[in-house]
Amino acid sequence: MGMAKEFKEFALRGNVVDLAVGVVIGAAFGKIVTSLVNDIVMPALGYAIGGVDFGDLAIELKAATVDAAGTEIPAVLVKYGAFIQTVVDFVIIALAIFVAVKVMNSLKRKEAASPEPPPAPSEEVKLLTEIRDSLKSR
């Protein structure tokens, strides 16, 4: 039972739960950005530069063939269009993370810039200060 209790304490620790939430949100954000790039940015960019479909851009290293048994052997392609889409995907995600970190840092700086005033001394401290001051004046 000790192992189960340890695991429960580990799994329910705040940092682990925060990390899990971050991973799930990050995965969802990645899908959104991938859709944005594949379905909106790249088609618009392709249209703007003359109707190019980046998904179809490739260099054919070896053409598709059919072997003696009639099985089709697919072509060997270097799909640089897909690579360009992935790079655009990465740049958008990196930019979004940069902006999020910048916003978080500015919020932390604002928080650190306005420190709270120190708490008022307790009654005991006030009394001791008065006693000390009266002893000094003698």
Side-chain angles (χ1 to χ4, degrees):
M1 269 316 197
M3 183 86 125
K5 183 179 178 186
E6 260 184 77
F7 179 74
K8 180 180 175 185
E9 287 176 10
F10 168 77
L12 296 179
R13 213 178 284 159
N15 294 341
V16 175
V17 174
D18 292 344
L19 179 63
V21 169
V23 168
V24 170
I25 290 174
F29 181 71
K31 288 180 182 181
I32 290 170
V33 171
T34 299
S35 176
L36 172 72
V37 170
N38 293 342
D39 302 330
I40 296 173
V41 173
M42 297 312 280
L45 184 61
Y47 177 75
I49 62 173
V52 177
D53 182 8
F54 282 89
D56 293 337
L57 295 178
I59 297 173
E60 187 174 320
L61 298 178
K62 182 180 174 193
T65 57
V66 178
D67 64 4
T71 307
E72 186 178 337
I73 300 171
V76 178
L77 303 173
V78 175
K79 298 180 180 181
Y80 67 90
F83 177 73
I84 291 171
Q85 284 182 321
T86 304
V87 169
V88 171
D89 205 7
F90 169 77
V91 169
I92 291 173
I93 290 173
L95 181 64
I97 290 172
F98 172 75
V99 169
V101 168
K102 191 168 176 90
V103 167
M104 294 296 289
N105 286 342
S106 69
L107 291 174
K108 284 183 182 178
R109 269 188 244 120
K110 286 180 184 177
E111 203 173 90
S114 59
E116 295 181 19
S122 66
E123 291 299 318
E124 294 86 16
V125 171
K126 288 180 184 177
L127 182 59
L128 289 171
T129 304
E130 288 176 16
I131 293 170
R132 181 197 65 200
D133 292 344
S134 69
L135 288 173
K136 276 185 180 179
S137 64
R138 287 187 178 181

